[in-house]
Amino acid sequence: MTLTPLLEPHWMNAVLPEIILSISGILMILFDAFAPKARGAMAPLAVLLLMVAAASESMVAGGVFFGGTWETGALTQIFDLVFLLTALLATLFSREYLRREQIEGGEFYALLMWGTVGMMMMAKGLDLLIVVLGLEMLSICIFVLVGYHRRIAISNEASLKYFLMGAFATGFILYGTALFYGACGSTKLSDLANFFQTADPHNPLLTVAFILLMAGLGFKLALAPFHAWAPDVYQGAPTPVAAWLSVAPKVATLMALVRIFWAMGPVAQHAGWMHIVAVLSILSMIIGNAVAIAQRDLKRMLAYSGIAHVGYMMIAMLTVREDSVAAVAVYAVTYALMNVGAFGVVSMLAKNQNDPQTLDDIAGLGFRRPFYGLALSVCMFSLSGLPPTAGFVSKFYIFKTAVESGHSTVALIGILTSIVSVYYYLRVVYFLYMKEGGEGETAIDSGVFGVAALTISIVGILLIGIYPTPLFERAGAAARALLLGQ
Amino acid sequence: MTGLLTVVLFLPIAGAILLVFLPKDIPGPIKGGGLLVSLLTFLASLAIVGRFHDGIGGFQLVESHAWIPQWGINYTVGVYGISLWLVLLTTLLTPVVILASWNSIHKHPKEYVISMLVMESAMIGAFLAMDLVLFYVFFELMLLPMYLIIGVWGGKNRIYAAIKFFLFTIAGSLLMLLGIIYLGFQQVHLTAGGVPTFEITQLYGLSLPPHIQTILFFAFALAFAIKVPLFPLHTWLPDAHVEAPTGGSIILAGVMLKMGTYGFLRFVLPFFPDASIHYAPLLICLSVIGIIYGALVAWVQPDMKKLVAYSSVSHLGFCVMGIFAINQASIEGSILQMVNHGLSTGALFLLVGVVYERRHTRMLADYGGIARTMPVYTVFFVIAMLSSVGLPGLNGFVGEFLILAGSFQTHPGYATVAAIGVILAAIYLLWLIQAVFFGPITKDENRSIPDIAWNEIAAVVPLIIMIVWIGIHPNTFLRRMEPSVQQLLATVRGEQPEKVMTASLAAAATRSPVAQTLLSVRSGARMRGRQGLSVGVQGPKGAQTEVSVLRVTR
């Protein structure tokens, strides 16, 4: 009997970004503690550290590490970069937001970084326990970040809501994991995959385990009917946090789901589990888009739109194969750019954070402040999936894989609900350009950092929209490498 | 010069990007810049006509570059007989629109000119694209500037109109998107080798199973029927037109509506020939209802702009009827009528805008007798109106005549009913002229309206020239579209081009005297070649024939 060494050679390289981010977070806190006078330098430092982490991605060795519990590869790299991009944009938007609200502190940036580490663990874990560990690490950061605006009531309320609901969700995931462990004796995805080769698809234990797992992960995804927390939490959370929260954790959870669904293989299809997923996806698209129409609060509207967008991404997950995984990866990149960009503009509205940021606050903004109007319009057009934006090619990709996998009906529902969605996205553009701002116009408070972040968003959205080929190539190759081991 | 089409396609958008960097408080240079860009585009598009070879039915000046090679999506543009004149119409109307709104757009002129230029690129792109996805991108891109044009610069009820316009069109086009994806997927399955492609020339030969054709036919037809708009999907049009600023109305009626009819010709007929032939009566029926309904509703409108808007529903009905009559004459007539409608309705909207600028009302009741105060204006208006009515010697006659004569061969009943629409058009447009221009001056404000201004004259004169040119020498235009239409018919019928030509003419000759006249007109046109007689000269005879259409069926 040979013992496999617990630590493979080059293991350091496999967790390089995580190490950098963890240390960076500690640095940020120490910086705040020892040099409180130099607080102005904190955000630039955080940006720099995030960029270092992104640069270190190129040094990450691909392969399986830590006794088959950790996998790095081209696809995890793409997802890592999405997490880092989201964190970077959120940091840029936070700087001006936190200063305006006078709550800047080193721990804010540290929590963003540690949360990113948690997401990286979820995306790379080959063991359900690693996924849960990453999820918990992320969740704790979210609890604190959502309540970061500690002097205002709705921020505290949001934090408490997320904490209570999140605790239950984690419980569900752990129960589900435990039941899978009971059925096959391991929490490793490779063992699960072997087990599912011969598993009886009609074993009720497995079905219960799957439903529990989906309920827990569905909560993190804000997938209907587990979405109820999202609008309240986004509304209460500091807006840059909401931006980050609406994208990164969802993307990380999707990556974990890709691995889990792939391990389940054909059983998932036989047992009709994918029908459950299809129902969740359809429900999300319908509820998200329909309820968003009724929202005048921008953050709540974006919350519901986010629910719908997870629904779209879940369409691709119905059949896990190279193309659909690549589609999810592409959608994740796009979604990060457009959703964080949209929240970013909202975060610049200088008004009392206890009051909702409504459509009236952006009335006439398009002509008053053309750049911000343009940025928000581009994000809206991309969210509604109109060419020539990234939203269009990403949606096209999703629907294409759906049609090819034989999910034309779900795709049709997706198309019909996106017609509905056009209405409320367009309403934002209507307020931007066709409505005159009244007496008490809300000012836009933004500096170099906000402009930089919005520029990244707009350029990214248009670039992917007009010439998506390089991204498609990378995502396609990465997905093939992950699933087929090429 | 290779890349000519790309130049024409991207010149306006490049100009728009340059304009973004101009400060917004200098409206003169901004409008001038916009005009210059659109005129350059027009000149470049004339070069397309120069390089266009008459005898070829297929695509010309084709350029192709890989865009998203993984999915077989390419940037492929090309021009053929059916799209040539529509491209020219677009490049002609854009400078006209910028000129026409020179003094009428005071609010945010920079954004207005930018929207117009983006719009122009999108429209040209949709006409030139030879790749379905590329077409779709431009097709959707058109919506954004038009939404802003209606919503920002429009009238009182502009928001409602803009949103209604956007939602109607996007609903159709998103379903078409699913159709496009499904078509691409079917294509991979049906062809050996299974290389994905969205190139329309590859998709033309595809023989899809009938049930799939039916599904896809409706997915595509719905999108285009909303755009045309075909009865009963037309309700967005009057709202959009009434609220849109003059420039927006001209572009909307002049070019955007043609996307629908063009889409039928370019995609629906050749992609789904069996379904098209099977459902042709349905579409013809709807278009005939639209012709009569549009005309009747136009008749009772108290608002000039609304009257012209409903007349569009009627006129576009002719185009759709001509397309689905599926024969050479009717389709050529439809294409010509698309251009005609762009010119005459564009001119009418422009001229309605002229008086609206001066009096801020479009109600017929507020005018009367202004021929005396605005004599030059009246001349232009009457010419545009007569073109819209279909007076022999002007463009509208040729188009309508070809459509009716062609449709009569395949659907005599519908063609007869549709011919009533021509008479109704004469009634409501003459009624308009009577109420606005002649009779006593009843309102004091009308005694001192300044006549049409230089920029408005400059805008309308090119349209009038084209109206007369097409009217007296349609062969310039028909000659270039003929081979492409033949090829289209061959694709639809699954035959060789030459056979179709003779077959359809022979069939035409045997069936009715109208068709025989048509045959003689058409073969005469062919023999005459470049210089000879024109249909316009035969005007009176043509008018008689038109009457005989009615008589024969009675």
Side-chain angles (χ1 to χ4, degrees), chain A residues 298-313:
Chain A
L298 289 166
K299 281 159 89 177
R300 291 184 79 87
M301 189 201 90
L302 285 171
Y304 281 105
S305 112
I307 293 166
H309 279 278
V310 172
Y312 295 134
M313 288 191 253

Side-chain angles (χ1 to χ4, degrees), chain A residues 157-205:
Chain A
E157 181 194 327
S159 178
L160 191 64
K161 261 184 193 154
Y162 192 79
F163 177 72
L164 288 176
M165 309 272 281
F168 271 101
T170 311
F172 281 132
I173 296 171
L174 280 171
Y175 276 128
T177 309
L179 288 182
F180 275 128
Y181 181 79
C184 85
S186 168
T187 53
K188 271 193 192 174
L189 287 171
S190 53
D191 294 336
L192 272 175
N194 284 332
F195 166 75
F196 275 116
Q197 297 283 326
T198 53
D200 170 21
H202 300 293
N203 186 347
L205 181 70

Side-chain angles (χ1 to χ4, degrees), chain B residues 36-320:
Chain B
L36 182 70
V37 170
S38 58
L39 281 176
L40 283 176
T41 314
F42 179 62
L43 289 180
S45 70
L46 285 180
I48 299 180
V49 184
R51 298 179 156 264
F52 192 85
H53 292 284
D54 292 4
I56 301 172
F59 288 94
Q60 305 186 25
L61 302 167
V62 175
E63 292 163 42
S64 189
H65 306 281
W67 180 27
I68 311 178
Q70 294 93 329
W71 302 345
I73 297 172
N74 296 317
Y75 168 81
T76 311
V77 289
V79 65
Y80 69 148
I82 296 176
S83 57
L84 177 67
W85 299 115
L86 294 169
V87 173
L88 264 285
L89 177 70
T90 313
T91 55
L92 174 71
L93 281 181
T94 309
V96 164
V97 159
I98 293 178
L99 262 179
S101 20
W102 199 271
N103 291 327
S104 58
I105 297 294
H106 309 293
K107 197 170 67 168
H108 312 303
K110 176 176 155 187
E111 285 80 0
Y112 182 80
V113 174
I114 291 173
S115 300
M116 278 296 171
L117 291 177
V118 172
M119 187 80 200
E120 184 180 13
S121 270
M123 293 185 299
I124 298 174
F127 285 133
L128 292 181
M130 285 174 64
D131 185 289
L132 254 184
V133 179
L134 187 67
F135 164 78
Y136 184 80
V137 167
F138 287 121
F139 190 72
E140 294 272 88
L141 184 60
M142 266 185 288
L143 298 183
L144 307 182
M146 190 42 93
Y147 172 68
L148 291 177
I149 288 169
I150 299 175
V152 177
W153 294 276
K156 219 181 286 163
N157 228 343
R158 59 184 199 272
I159 307 301
Y160 170 76
I163 290 183
K164 191 171 177 183
F165 155 78
F166 203 103
L167 288 182
F168 261 74
T169 15
I170 198 97
S173 60
L174 277 174
L175 287 174
M176 180 174 73
L177 175 64
L178 196 60
I180 290 174
I181 295 172
Y182 195 69
L183 184 65
F185 170 69
Q186 284 294 331
Q187 185 272 339
V188 176
H189 267 237
L190 285 175
T191 42
V195 191
T197 180
F198 289 91
E199 200 98 337
I200 56 171
T201 43
Q202 306 274 327
L203 296 168
Y204 275 174
L206 206 64
S207 41
L208 294 162
H211 65 283
I212 291 176
Q213 275 200 28
T214 306
I215 298 172
L216 291 174
F217 172 81
F218 280 107
F220 277 71
L222 183 67
F224 296 132
I226 290 174
K227 204 92 176 181
V228 169
L230 211 57
F231 179 90
L233 304 166
H234 65 280
T235 57
W236 63 269
L237 181 82
D239 288 319
H241 268 313
V242 170
E243 299 306 329
T246 302
S249 288
I250 298 173
I251 289 295
L252 187 62
V255 187
M256 255 182 106
L257 303 188
K258 311 306 180 300
M259 290 297 159
T261 41
Y262 177 70
F264 279 123
L265 277 175
R266 182 152 182 155
F267 305 110
V268 176
L269 283 190
F271 284 168
F272 323 116
D274 299 338
S276 298
I277 291 169
H278 190 255
Y279 291 103
L282 173 71
L283 281 140
I284 292 181
C285 180
L286 288 178
S287 47
V288 170
I289 294 176
I291 292 171
I292 301 299
Y293 170 86
L296 289 176
V297 178
W299 192 354
V300 296
Q301 291 306 317
D303 179 323
M304 280 199 260
K305 214 171 179 189
K306 230 172 185 171
L307 191 152
V308 181
Y310 274 107
S311 84
S312 287
V313 175
S314 184
H315 282 115
L316 266 296
F318 277 104
C319 293
V320 177

Side-chain angles (χ1 to χ4, degrees), chain A residues 78 82 85 251 328-338 394 464 471:
Chain A
I78 292 179
V82 174
L85 173 73
V251 173
V328 171
V330 169
Y331 209 100
V333 176
T334 308
Y335 185 60
L337 288 168
M338 59 193 184
S394 310
I464 297 176
L471 179 64

